[in-house]
Amino acid sequence: MFRRFLPRPAETTLLLGPRATGKSTWIEQNFPRAPSYDLLRSSEALRLARDPSVLTHELSSLAPGSWVVIDEVQKVPALLDEVHHLIERRKLRFLLSGSSARKLRRGGTNLLAGRALRADFFPLVSHECGTIPPLERVAFGMLPRTATLERPQPYLRAYCETYLREEVQSEALTRNIGGFARFLEVAARQNGMVTNASNIASDAQVARQTVQGYFEVLIDTLLGFWLPAWRPRRKTKVVTHPKFYFFDAGVARTLGGRLAYPPTPDELGILFETYLLHEIRAWLSYTERAYPLAYFRTHDAVEVDLLFESNKGHVAIEIKSTTRWHKDHLKGFRRVSEEIPGVRCLGVYAGERPLKVEGVDILPYGTFLKRLWAGDLIT
């Protein structure tokens, strides 16, 4: 059993995270005595969808301040009216979990604006595991079940098939399941690269506008996120297209049809980047630091993987899956330093020893992660 980093909330909270990241287990640990409604159970979802007011009747005896859990609330968005009523009139507190934001948006989460906090849930991070995953395990991702299996491939295949069947097909998020499946493979193979919707549309044999809609489905079902390009204030020519990352390296490899093969060096580099970006995003979310993340890339292909502004200035991070740090890896730092004087540059690599090259701290990824979660690396 992993002890998760997310603290127990004090007020009504909407907890969003992809399927099988451990939300239900976390809820059971933190709200063991709260009345609970599991909407993944078809009978429960149908019963409440038929008459949402049943929720109010069944909770009528609870004292003000009591907690109620509704798991996978997006299955019955109409319940949000009842939740809103019970928060306002009865002063009940709710833990509402979900793995898709689309139906919640359409169903009226605006009713909870100002009444519910938003919390995000991620796959496991190194701090929760207690160990730093070796480089060869990074390619399988950090879903809790994956982390405990000697051979995670069958589980990852089943996970991705379940996503297609339950999240996409049964929720009618798209009518063309064949086109969406082709899109998934192409998009997964371009994980972490600058997104070219026209090329993806051509490879997946669908219209360009359809590709844009498919990316919205991935965002809504929390399977991925955009990393925008950093836009300078000066008139510097930079790439402006965003990158799309899947939320988990193992899921990206599986959807891309690459799970049966050892990753190539180029592929491992992107997977390593995906993994470390996952840890950084989780840390920022769990510690309530709302720093917008971006990447930096000029038209002559000089790039820094991550760039953001912290409370103490800009931070640039370059990630390399190599065991040796080369001076060429500093090229992006030199360029971004011209754009943002005083930017703090950090290199992260798969080597064993901390280095200082041209005044830049280069950290083994294990050291980087320990310092990140200890809170003494980024403020």
Side-chain angles (χ1 to χ4, degrees), residues 245-312:
Y245 284 87
F246 282 81
F247 80 102
D248 181 77
V251 170
R253 286 195 74 216
T254 307
L255 291 172
R258 295 291 304 162
L259 195 59
Y261 312 102
T264 64
D266 285 347
E267 187 184 2
L268 185 59
I270 294 290
L271 294 170
F272 186 58
E273 193 177 305
T274 302
Y275 164 65
L276 286 176
L277 188 50
H278 150 65
E279 292 259 358
I280 292 166
R281 289 179 69 238
W283 179 79
L284 290 173
S285 177
Y286 290 161
T287 59
E288 299 182 354
R289 287 171 169 84
Y291 301 154
L293 301 176
Y295 77 97
F296 173 86
R297 183 182 174 92
T298 63
H299 275 281
D300 54 349
V302 177
E303 183 172 326
V304 175
D305 294 321
L306 208 54
L307 179 61
F308 60 94
E309 185 176 5
S310 74
N311 285 329
K312 293 193 175 180

Side-chain angles (χ1 to χ4, degrees), residues 10 48 55 110 131 154 171 174 179 200 211-212 265 273 287 317 341 350 356:
L48 292 169
L55 184 72
N110 57 313
T131 58
E171 298 293 334
T174 175
I200 293 174
V211 164
Q212 292 170 335
E273 193 177 305
T287 59
I317 299 176
K356 204 168 190 82

